[in-house]
């Protein structure tokens, strides 16, 4: 494949987006875990929980700032590198992005400063409220971003306006309550909660292995495993929900993820393992589990899931239909207000397939002059890379299920085995720290690579979306981002390690004050404080 | 939904044009002093403790302030999609430099004092300097270029095109008038940062900030006056032909010619002279305030001056938002570069709900953080502050 402007633009977007998502999941989950810890502190007044809040809060801060910094790129990159996309769908896509700023990002960013600097300036309850506002703000951010992304996957509530040559919003509520967006939102934030839980679990396990900060570590494991178990279950359930909605909104993506070339009579089997071959159009050595795919995809035993070959044939029909819309659009563009109503009616009738006609743009300047062969090639282009999707999806799912197992195990040991963790389990917890990030990145890969060749599914091809920049522009910015982001990443990881090594700051004064109060309380209730007193750490 | 018919399309467009101004001004007034403090850092603070004092005056608030910029981007995307598409891709490499500066800045705030190492800290101090000075300069250069007109055109399908190679395009932005606008922008934010430091810091830091701020204010006022003169004598304006009321947002539907002067707006709408008057008054009072050591009022006057400068650009150009030199017909104006009627309405409702909330809680945060940052604050809380 020749590396052109579009490929470079895609590469840059993929790199910056995936880099951004190294920090986001931890922000989403850790903000809530920290707020939970502070809630326990405010309710029990035990200094250990304040120590935990501050310690995990410090790590949260180091991570948060890079999430914010790399998010700036995301906000402007659409306009910089995807200017036709921005023009074409800004009327719909821009709204959730702007609302994210108004409703969510302002909240988290305004209060995050107070979270770190307000310990001595706020009352306990005020500070707790600030912590929760940061957590809520971060999570609302994710909601609006996923509404925007969900619309790219399933563009509801909008139609093409031939006078302005772009998609315009027809129903804000449909965009808002897009089923794909809702499923993706819960799936994504849950994945963030799992990430943070695995992180807290792993760092705490490290402390237990080193026999340091046992009080902080054991409590942190208790919180993280309970929260992580709920989140890990939610990720899988909502992942299934995403699969279900894909079966009627993004049939091609689903078929490609499954390496399902032919339409199978219902209920379709699930290919657990196999080697998809795009040339031969079959999946070699497939190990199939009967019925499962049909059940996941359609929740019925009778509905069929179309295979890739049938979907390509359907795409070809849609390209031909889209050409009628394209022809009418050219007339409207030239004649403007003088366009006969009949032409406008023709356009309306076929405008749903306009995007398919634009798939021909890489082959021919005027899609109306495309040959049958070119139409067939464009229809073939609607198949994304099957093998990468097939494998990425399976690794993600396997990781997802293993998180449930790990979290369940630690939850059980923490709740019913007096927090006694065998050493092998602690080593395991440390070793799996990177895996939720792998799962999350693969998830985004499946979602975005699986949507190709579209930026907006069925509406706007990726090849049309990019800005008309020069290759030199792209090479400069791409090299800049790679160097710049690598340096920042190295610095970030080293700081994280430094602060994990350093461990929590013991708050001596407050711990002693608490101990004194605690002993007074015990005395007044008639218990001898010397006989097996709970230390503030417990 | 028919609710949006409640407000006329063209009225919504004017409201969103004004809101665009509000966001840019909000950004300049809040994040402006953060950038100003960053750009002043090497000059007003010499020892490590002094630097930490200066940094911590903005430490708890820069993050919220920066959201004005993010929200500005989001609002332009939602309300003015063609502007978002054309400007950010047209200024591609300049935008990349701004992004790099704005990415390094948050990291520098957060990471600078996390290690004792003097080299480490000095590197991040330079990052803070660049993160403040570079965007402050380039935003002004961008505004200067908008006034001069930008070499782009739209195809029949409204695809933005910018002929020419990357180096010529990037260097082409650095035209003398645009550089002057950059100097005005940098100087006014230096003055603003100085006014902030004079309020939030003490001793040498505040004193040095005040003396630099006075010079910066004078440079800003002189540069602004010079730019006005230049516009009057040496730069052509743009004139918009007939537009249909409530017409479709397609820039190609209206005729634009390049003639006359931008300043003829002051003959057509004399009341807009209030903006430059605010600019000069605000700067003059801020400079006097810096000299006599007044604190709160100086910051407010500085805000007034900046508001006047930014508002004057928008009011002078109205209804133009982004004129094209290559093909004036492609120019983006208030009447033909907005979102749809419905989107503008929905976004207005959302803004009407959330903007007051934002202002209220931001004000509360500033109230909590009220008071000077002292050297003792920094040395006693060495582990927790920046």
């Amino acid at each position: 494949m020749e590396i052109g402007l579009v490929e470079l633009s895609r590469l840059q977007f993929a790199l910056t987006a995936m880099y951004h998502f190294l920090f986001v999941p931890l922000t989403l989950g850790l903000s809530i875990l920290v707020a939970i810890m502070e809630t326990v502190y405010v309710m029990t007044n035990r200094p250990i929980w304040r120590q935990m809040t501050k310690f995990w809060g410090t790590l949260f801060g180091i991570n948060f700032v890079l999430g914010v910094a790399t998010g700036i790129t995301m906000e402007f990159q659409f306009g910089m590198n995807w200017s036709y996309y921005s023009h074409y769908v800004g009327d719909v896509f821009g709204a959730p992005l702007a609302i994210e700023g108004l409703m969510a990002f302002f909240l988290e960013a305004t209060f995050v400063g107070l979270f770190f600097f307000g310990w001595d300036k706020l009352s306990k309850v005020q500070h707790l409220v600030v912590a929760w506002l940061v957590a809520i703000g971060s999570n609302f951010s994710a909601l609006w971003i996923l509404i925007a992304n969900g619309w790219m996957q399933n563009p509801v509530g909008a139609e093409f306006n031939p006078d302005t040559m772009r998609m315009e919003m027809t129903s804000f509520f449909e965009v808002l309550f897009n089923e794909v967006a809702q499923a993706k939102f819960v799936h994504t934030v849950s994945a963030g909660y799992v990430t943070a839980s695995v992180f807290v679990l792993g760092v705490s396990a490290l402390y237990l292995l080193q026999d340091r900060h046992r009080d902080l570590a054991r409590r942190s494991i208790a919180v993280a495993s309970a929260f992580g178990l709920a989140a890990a279950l939610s990720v899988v359930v909502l992942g299934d929900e995403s699969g279900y909605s894909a079966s009627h909104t993004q049939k091609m993506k689903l078929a490609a993820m499954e390496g399902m070339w032919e339409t199978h009579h219902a209920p379709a089997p699930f290919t657990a393992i196999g080697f998809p071959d795009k040339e031969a159009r079959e999946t070699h050595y497939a190990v199939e589990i009967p019925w499962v795919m049909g059940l996941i995809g359609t929740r019925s035993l009778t509905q069929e899931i179309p295979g890739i070959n049938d979907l390509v044939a359907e795409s070809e029909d849609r390209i031909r239909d889209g050409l009628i819309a394209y022809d009418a659009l050219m007339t409207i563009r030239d004649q403007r207000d003088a366009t006969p109503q009949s032409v406008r009616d023709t356009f309306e009738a076929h405008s749903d397939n306009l995007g398919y006609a634009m798939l021909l743009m890489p082959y021919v300047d005027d899609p109306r002059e495309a040959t049958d062969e070119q139409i067939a090639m464009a229809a073939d282009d609607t198949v994304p890379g099957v093998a990468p999707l097939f494998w990425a999806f399976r690794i993600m799912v396997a990781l997802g299920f293993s998180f449930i197992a790990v979290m369940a195990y630690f939850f059980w040991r923490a709740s019913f085995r007096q927090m006694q963790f065998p050493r092998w389990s602690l080593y395991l917890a440390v070793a799996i720290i990177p895996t939720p990030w792998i799962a999350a990145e693969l998830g985004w890969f499946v979602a975005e690579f699986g949507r190709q060749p579209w930026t907006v599914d069925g509406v706007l091809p990726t090849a049309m979306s990019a800005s008309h920049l020069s290759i030199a522009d792209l090479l400069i910015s791409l090299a800049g981002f790679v160097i710049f982001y690598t340096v920042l990443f190295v610095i970030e990881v080293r700081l994280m390690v430094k602060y994990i090594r350093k461990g929590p700051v013991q708050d001596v004064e407050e711990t002693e004050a608490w101990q004194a109060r605690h002993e007074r309380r015990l005395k007044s209730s008639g218990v001898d404080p010397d006989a097996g007193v709970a230390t503030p750490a417990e | 939904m028919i609710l949006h018919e409640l407000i006329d399309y063209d009225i919504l467009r004017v409201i969103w044009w004004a809101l665009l101004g509000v966001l840019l001004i909000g950004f300049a007034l809040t994040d402006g002093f953060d950038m100003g403090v960053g750009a002043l850092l090497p000059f007003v603070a010499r020892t490590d403790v002094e630097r930490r004092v200066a940094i911590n005056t903005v430490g708890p608030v820069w993050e919220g302030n920066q959201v004005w910029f993010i929200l500005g981007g989001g609002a332009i995307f939602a309300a003015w999609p063609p502007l978002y598409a054309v400007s950010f891709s047209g200024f591609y490499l300049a935008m990349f430099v701004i992004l790099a500066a704005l990415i390094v800045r948050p990291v520098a705030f957060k990471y600078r004092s996390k290690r004792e190492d003097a080299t480490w800290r000095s590197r991040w101090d330079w990052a803070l300097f660049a993160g403040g000075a570079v965007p402050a300069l380039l935003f002004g250069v961008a505004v200067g270029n908008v006034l001069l007109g930008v070499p782009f055109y739209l195809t029949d399908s409204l695809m933005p095109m910018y002929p020419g190679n990357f180096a010529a395009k990037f260097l082409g932005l650095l035209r003398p008038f645009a550089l002057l606008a950059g100097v005005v922008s940098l100087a006014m934010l230096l003055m603003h940062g100085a006014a902030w430091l004079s309020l939030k810091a003490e001793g040498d830091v505040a004193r040095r900030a005040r003396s630099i701020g006075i010079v910066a204010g004078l440079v800003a006022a002189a540069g602004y006056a010079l730019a006005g003169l230049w516009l009057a004598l040496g730069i052509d304006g743009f004139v918009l032909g007939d537009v249909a009321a409530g017409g479709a947002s397609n820039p190609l539907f209206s005729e634009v010619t390049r003639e006359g002067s931008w300043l003829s707006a002051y003959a057509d709408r004399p009341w807009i002279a209030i903006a430059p008057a605010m600019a000069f008054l605000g700067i003059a009072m801020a400079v006097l305030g810096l000299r006599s050591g007044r604190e709160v009022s100086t910051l407010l006057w500085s805000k007034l001056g900046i508001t006047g400068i930014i508002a004057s650009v928008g009011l002078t150009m109205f209804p133009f938002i982004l004129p094209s030199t290559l093909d004036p017909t492609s120019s983006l104006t208030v009447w033909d570069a907005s979102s749809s009627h419905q989107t503008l309405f929905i976004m207005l409702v959302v803004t009407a709900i959330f903007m007051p909330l934002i202002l209220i809680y931001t004000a509360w945060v500033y109230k909590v953080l009220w008071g000077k940052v002292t050297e003792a604050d920094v040395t006693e809380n060495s582990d927790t502050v920046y």
Side-chain angles (χ1 to χ4, degrees), chain A residues 174-196:
Chain A
E174 279 181 43
V175 174
L176 199 57
F177 296 107
N178 183 351
E179 56 167 323
V180 174
Q182 300 299 323
K184 278 178 90 80
F185 165 62
V186 187
H187 183 64
T188 307
V189 294
S190 304
Y193 303 162
V194 172
T195 306

PDB file of all heavy atoms in Angstrom, chain A residues 174-196:
ATOM      1  N   GLU A 174     -32.131  11.630  19.676  1.00  0.00           N
ATOM      2  CA  GLU A 174     -31.649  10.382  19.085  1.00  0.00           C
ATOM      3  C   GLU A 174     -30.126  10.292  19.191  1.00  0.00           C
ATOM      4  O   GLU A 174     -29.570   9.219  19.438  1.00  0.00           O
ATOM      5  CB  GLU A 174     -32.070  10.282  17.611  1.00  0.00           C
ATOM      6  CG  GLU A 174     -33.505   9.813  17.435  1.00  0.00           C
ATOM      7  CD  GLU A 174     -33.886   9.709  15.966  1.00  0.00           C
ATOM      8  OE1 GLU A 174     -33.068   9.205  15.170  1.00  0.00           O
ATOM      9  OE2 GLU A 174     -34.990  10.151  15.620  1.00  0.00           O
ATOM     10  N   VAL A 175     -29.450  11.420  18.992  1.00  0.00           N
ATOM     11  CA  VAL A 175     -27.993  11.426  19.125  1.00  0.00           C
ATOM     12  C   VAL A 175     -27.604  11.099  20.567  1.00  0.00           C
ATOM     13  O   VAL A 175     -26.699  10.316  20.835  1.00  0.00           O
ATOM     14  CB  VAL A 175     -27.419  12.799  18.716  1.00  0.00           C
ATOM     15  CG1 VAL A 175     -25.917  12.865  18.982  1.00  0.00           C
ATOM     16  CG2 VAL A 175     -27.711  13.085  17.254  1.00  0.00           C
ATOM     17  N   LEU A 176     -28.355  11.687  21.497  1.00  0.00           N
ATOM     18  CA  LEU A 176     -28.077  11.523  22.918  1.00  0.00           C
ATOM     19  C   LEU A 176     -28.320  10.092  23.381  1.00  0.00           C
ATOM     20  O   LEU A 176     -27.522   9.515  24.106  1.00  0.00           O
ATOM     21  CB  LEU A 176     -28.998  12.482  23.669  1.00  0.00           C
ATOM     22  CG  LEU A 176     -28.664  12.855  25.089  1.00  0.00           C
ATOM     23  CD1 LEU A 176     -27.281  13.444  25.148  1.00  0.00           C
ATOM     24  CD2 LEU A 176     -29.693  13.878  25.574  1.00  0.00           C
ATOM     25  N   PHE A 177     -29.440   9.529  22.977  1.00  0.00           N
ATOM     26  CA  PHE A 177     -29.816   8.210  23.471  1.00  0.00           C
ATOM     27  C   PHE A 177     -29.518   7.113  22.461  1.00  0.00           C
ATOM     28  O   PHE A 177     -30.153   6.063  22.459  1.00  0.00           O
ATOM     29  CB  PHE A 177     -31.285   8.206  23.909  1.00  0.00           C
ATOM     30  CG  PHE A 177     -31.516   9.120  25.074  1.00  0.00           C
ATOM     31  CD1 PHE A 177     -32.186  10.327  24.900  1.00  0.00           C
ATOM     32  CD2 PHE A 177     -31.015   8.801  26.323  1.00  0.00           C
ATOM     33  CE1 PHE A 177     -32.367  11.187  25.974  1.00  0.00           C
ATOM     34  CE2 PHE A 177     -31.195   9.659  27.399  1.00  0.00           C
ATOM     35  CZ  PHE A 177     -31.871  10.850  27.225  1.00  0.00           C
ATOM     36  N   ASN A 178     -28.547   7.372  21.615  1.00  0.00           N
ATOM     37  CA  ASN A 178     -28.046   6.391  20.671  1.00  0.00           C
ATOM     38  C   ASN A 178     -27.655   5.116  21.433  1.00  0.00           C
ATOM     39  O   ASN A 178     -26.836   5.148  22.334  1.00  0.00           O
ATOM     40  CB  ASN A 178     -26.816   7.019  20.000  1.00  0.00           C
ATOM     41  CG  ASN A 178     -26.221   6.154  18.930  1.00  0.00           C
ATOM     42  OD1 ASN A 178     -26.598   4.997  18.770  1.00  0.00           O
ATOM     43  ND2 ASN A 178     -25.287   6.721  18.188  1.00  0.00           N
ATOM     44  N   GLU A 179     -28.248   3.986  21.059  1.00  0.00           N
ATOM     45  CA  GLU A 179     -27.987   2.768  21.846  1.00  0.00           C
ATOM     46  C   GLU A 179     -26.503   2.397  21.834  1.00  0.00           C
ATOM     47  O   GLU A 179     -25.977   1.895  22.832  1.00  0.00           O
ATOM     48  CB  GLU A 179     -28.821   1.600  21.314  1.00  0.00           C
ATOM     49  CG  GLU A 179     -28.585   1.332  19.829  1.00  0.00           C
ATOM     50  CD  GLU A 179     -29.168   0.001  19.382  1.00  0.00           C
ATOM     51  OE1 GLU A 179     -29.104  -0.961  20.158  1.00  0.00           O
ATOM     52  OE2 GLU A 179     -29.680  -0.073  18.242  1.00  0.00           O
ATOM     53  N   VAL A 180     -25.840   2.640  20.717  1.00  0.00           N
ATOM     54  CA  VAL A 180     -24.413   2.313  20.639  1.00  0.00           C
ATOM     55  C   VAL A 180     -23.632   3.154  21.644  1.00  0.00           C
ATOM     56  O   VAL A 180     -22.768   2.664  22.369  1.00  0.00           O
ATOM     57  CB  VAL A 180     -23.879   2.542  19.207  1.00  0.00           C
ATOM     58  CG1 VAL A 180     -22.375   2.345  19.152  1.00  0.00           C
ATOM     59  CG2 VAL A 180     -24.584   1.606  18.246  1.00  0.00           C
ATOM     60  N   ALA A 181     -23.982   4.440  21.714  1.00  0.00           N
ATOM     61  CA  ALA A 181     -23.267   5.338  22.622  1.00  0.00           C
ATOM     62  C   ALA A 181     -23.470   4.909  24.070  1.00  0.00           C
ATOM     63  O   ALA A 181     -22.512   4.888  24.857  1.00  0.00           O
ATOM     64  CB  ALA A 181     -23.748   6.772  22.427  1.00  0.00           C
ATOM     65  N   GLN A 182     -24.689   4.563  24.423  1.00  0.00           N
ATOM     66  CA  GLN A 182     -24.959   4.209  25.817  1.00  0.00           C
ATOM     67  C   GLN A 182     -24.189   2.950  26.213  1.00  0.00           C
ATOM     68  O   GLN A 182     -23.580   2.891  27.272  1.00  0.00           O
ATOM     69  CB  GLN A 182     -26.473   4.008  26.028  1.00  0.00           C
ATOM     70  CG  GLN A 182     -27.295   5.246  25.717  1.00  0.00           C
ATOM     71  CD  GLN A 182     -26.922   6.434  26.594  1.00  0.00           C
ATOM     72  OE1 GLN A 182     -26.629   6.271  27.765  1.00  0.00           O
ATOM     73  NE2 GLN A 182     -26.902   7.627  26.019  1.00  0.00           N
ATOM     74  N   ALA A 183     -24.236   1.925  25.315  1.00  0.00           N
ATOM     75  CA  ALA A 183     -23.524   0.680  25.630  1.00  0.00           C
ATOM     76  C   ALA A 183     -22.021   0.937  25.718  1.00  0.00           C
ATOM     77  O   ALA A 183     -21.337   0.455  26.619  1.00  0.00           O
ATOM     78  CB  ALA A 183     -23.816  -0.379  24.575  1.00  0.00           C
ATOM     79  N   LYS A 184     -21.515   1.739  24.778  1.00  0.00           N
ATOM     80  CA  LYS A 184     -20.074   2.024  24.769  1.00  0.00           C
ATOM     81  C   LYS A 184     -19.644   2.794  26.011  1.00  0.00           C
ATOM     82  O   LYS A 184     -18.562   2.583  26.539  1.00  0.00           O
ATOM     83  CB  LYS A 184     -19.719   2.866  23.537  1.00  0.00           C
ATOM     84  CG  LYS A 184     -19.531   2.070  22.287  1.00  0.00           C
ATOM     85  CD  LYS A 184     -19.242   2.998  21.135  1.00  0.00           C
ATOM     86  CE  LYS A 184     -17.773   3.234  20.988  1.00  0.00           C
ATOM     87  NZ  LYS A 184     -17.067   2.154  20.309  1.00  0.00           N
ATOM     88  N   PHE A 185     -20.512   3.710  26.449  1.00  0.00           N
ATOM     89  CA  PHE A 185     -20.164   4.511  27.615  1.00  0.00           C
ATOM     90  C   PHE A 185     -19.945   3.606  28.832  1.00  0.00           C
ATOM     91  O   PHE A 185     -18.900   3.662  29.482  1.00  0.00           O
ATOM     92  CB  PHE A 185     -21.255   5.544  27.910  1.00  0.00           C
ATOM     93  CG  PHE A 185     -21.141   6.160  29.272  1.00  0.00           C
ATOM     94  CD1 PHE A 185     -20.018   6.896  29.621  1.00  0.00           C
ATOM     95  CD2 PHE A 185     -22.149   6.001  30.219  1.00  0.00           C
ATOM     96  CE1 PHE A 185     -19.892   7.450  30.885  1.00  0.00           C
ATOM     97  CE2 PHE A 185     -22.021   6.560  31.488  1.00  0.00           C
ATOM     98  CZ  PHE A 185     -20.899   7.277  31.817  1.00  0.00           C
ATOM     99  N   VAL A 186     -20.924   2.743  29.119  1.00  0.00           N
ATOM    100  CA  VAL A 186     -20.781   1.918  30.316  1.00  0.00           C
ATOM    101  C   VAL A 186     -19.619   0.940  30.144  1.00  0.00           C
ATOM    102  O   VAL A 186     -18.847   0.704  31.075  1.00  0.00           O
ATOM    103  CB  VAL A 186     -22.102   1.182  30.642  1.00  0.00           C
ATOM    104  CG1 VAL A 186     -21.988   0.477  31.978  1.00  0.00           C
ATOM    105  CG2 VAL A 186     -23.253   2.161  30.660  1.00  0.00           C
ATOM    106  N   HIS A 187     -19.482   0.399  28.944  1.00  0.00           N
ATOM    107  CA  HIS A 187     -18.381  -0.516  28.665  1.00  0.00           C
ATOM    108  C   HIS A 187     -17.029   0.180  28.899  1.00  0.00           C
ATOM    109  O   HIS A 187     -16.134  -0.357  29.543  1.00  0.00           O
ATOM    110  CB  HIS A 187     -18.495  -0.993  27.216  1.00  0.00           C
ATOM    111  CG  HIS A 187     -17.464  -2.004  26.798  1.00  0.00           C
ATOM    112  ND1 HIS A 187     -17.369  -3.256  27.346  1.00  0.00           N
ATOM    113  CD2 HIS A 187     -16.481  -1.948  25.861  1.00  0.00           C
ATOM    114  CE1 HIS A 187     -16.385  -3.919  26.782  1.00  0.00           C
ATOM    115  NE2 HIS A 187     -15.818  -3.151  25.871  1.00  0.00           N
ATOM    116  N   THR A 188     -16.913   1.410  28.395  1.00  0.00           N
ATOM    117  CA  THR A 188     -15.631   2.120  28.482  1.00  0.00           C
ATOM    118  C   THR A 188     -15.311   2.565  29.909  1.00  0.00           C
ATOM    119  O   THR A 188     -14.185   2.385  30.370  1.00  0.00           O
ATOM    120  CB  THR A 188     -15.640   3.338  27.541  1.00  0.00           C
ATOM    121  OG1 THR A 188     -16.017   2.890  26.246  1.00  0.00           O
ATOM    122  CG2 THR A 188     -14.286   3.997  27.488  1.00  0.00           C
ATOM    123  N   VAL A 189     -16.280   3.147  30.603  1.00  0.00           N
ATOM    124  CA  VAL A 189     -15.949   3.585  31.966  1.00  0.00           C
ATOM    125  C   VAL A 189     -15.696   2.364  32.852  1.00  0.00           C
ATOM    126  O   VAL A 189     -14.793   2.384  33.696  1.00  0.00           O
ATOM    127  CB  VAL A 189     -16.998   4.524  32.619  1.00  0.00           C
ATOM    128  CG1 VAL A 189     -17.064   5.849  31.900  1.00  0.00           C
ATOM    129  CG2 VAL A 189     -18.354   3.888  32.708  1.00  0.00           C
ATOM    130  N   SER A 190     -16.442   1.286  32.629  1.00  0.00           N
ATOM    131  CA  SER A 190     -16.167   0.083  33.428  1.00  0.00           C
ATOM    132  C   SER A 190     -14.755  -0.405  33.170  1.00  0.00           C
ATOM    133  O   SER A 190     -14.054  -0.835  34.089  1.00  0.00           O
ATOM    134  CB  SER A 190     -17.156  -1.042  33.094  1.00  0.00           C
ATOM    135  OG  SER A 190     -18.483  -0.605  33.263  1.00  0.00           O
ATOM    136  N   ALA A 191     -14.342  -0.350  31.917  1.00  0.00           N
ATOM    137  CA  ALA A 191     -12.972  -0.755  31.594  1.00  0.00           C
ATOM    138  C   ALA A 191     -11.984   0.130  32.346  1.00  0.00           C
ATOM    139  O   ALA A 191     -10.949  -0.335  32.828  1.00  0.00           O
ATOM    140  CB  ALA A 191     -12.727  -0.665  30.096  1.00  0.00           C
ATOM    141  N   GLY A 192     -12.317   1.417  32.472  1.00  0.00           N
ATOM    142  CA  GLY A 192     -11.473   2.326  33.248  1.00  0.00           C
ATOM    143  C   GLY A 192     -11.435   1.918  34.717  1.00  0.00           C
ATOM    144  O   GLY A 192     -10.377   1.953  35.356  1.00  0.00           O
ATOM    145  N   TYR A 193     -12.585   1.509  35.256  1.00  0.00           N
ATOM    146  CA  TYR A 193     -12.626   1.099  36.671  1.00  0.00           C
ATOM    147  C   TYR A 193     -11.780  -0.163  36.872  1.00  0.00           C
ATOM    148  O   TYR A 193     -11.090  -0.301  37.871  1.00  0.00           O
ATOM    149  CB  TYR A 193     -14.067   0.826  37.127  1.00  0.00           C
ATOM    150  CG  TYR A 193     -15.015   1.978  36.958  1.00  0.00           C
ATOM    151  CD1 TYR A 193     -16.393   1.800  36.962  1.00  0.00           C
ATOM    152  CD2 TYR A 193     -14.530   3.272  36.793  1.00  0.00           C
ATOM    153  CE1 TYR A 193     -17.269   2.856  36.805  1.00  0.00           C
ATOM    154  CE2 TYR A 193     -15.404   4.342  36.627  1.00  0.00           C
ATOM    155  CZ  TYR A 193     -16.769   4.125  36.628  1.00  0.00           C
ATOM    156  OH  TYR A 193     -17.626   5.176  36.462  1.00  0.00           O
ATOM    157  N   VAL A 194     -11.858  -1.080  35.890  1.00  0.00           N
ATOM    158  CA  VAL A 194     -11.042  -2.292  35.998  1.00  0.00           C
ATOM    159  C   VAL A 194      -9.557  -1.914  35.966  1.00  0.00           C
ATOM    160  O   VAL A 194      -8.760  -2.394  36.768  1.00  0.00           O
ATOM    161  CB  VAL A 194     -11.368  -3.279  34.851  1.00  0.00           C
ATOM    162  CG1 VAL A 194     -10.377  -4.435  34.860  1.00  0.00           C
ATOM    163  CG2 VAL A 194     -12.794  -3.793  34.975  1.00  0.00           C
ATOM    164  N   THR A 195      -9.208  -1.024  35.049  1.00  0.00           N
ATOM    165  CA  THR A 195      -7.816  -0.597  34.927  1.00  0.00           C
ATOM    166  C   THR A 195      -7.293  -0.064  36.264  1.00  0.00           C
ATOM    167  O   THR A 195      -6.237  -0.468  36.744  1.00  0.00           O
ATOM    168  CB  THR A 195      -7.686   0.490  33.852  1.00  0.00           C
ATOM    169  OG1 THR A 195      -8.264   0.003  32.649  1.00  0.00           O
ATOM    170  CG2 THR A 195      -6.231   0.850  33.603  1.00  0.00           C
ATOM    171  N   ALA A 196      -8.076   0.855  36.850  1.00  0.00           N
ATOM    172  CA  ALA A 196      -7.635   1.454  38.104  1.00  0.00           C
ATOM    173  C   ALA A 196      -7.589   0.402  39.210  1.00  0.00           C
ATOM    174  O   ALA A 196      -6.680   0.409  40.049  1.00  0.00           O
ATOM    175  CB  ALA A 196      -8.559   2.597  38.491  1.00  0.00           C
TER     176      ALA A 196
END
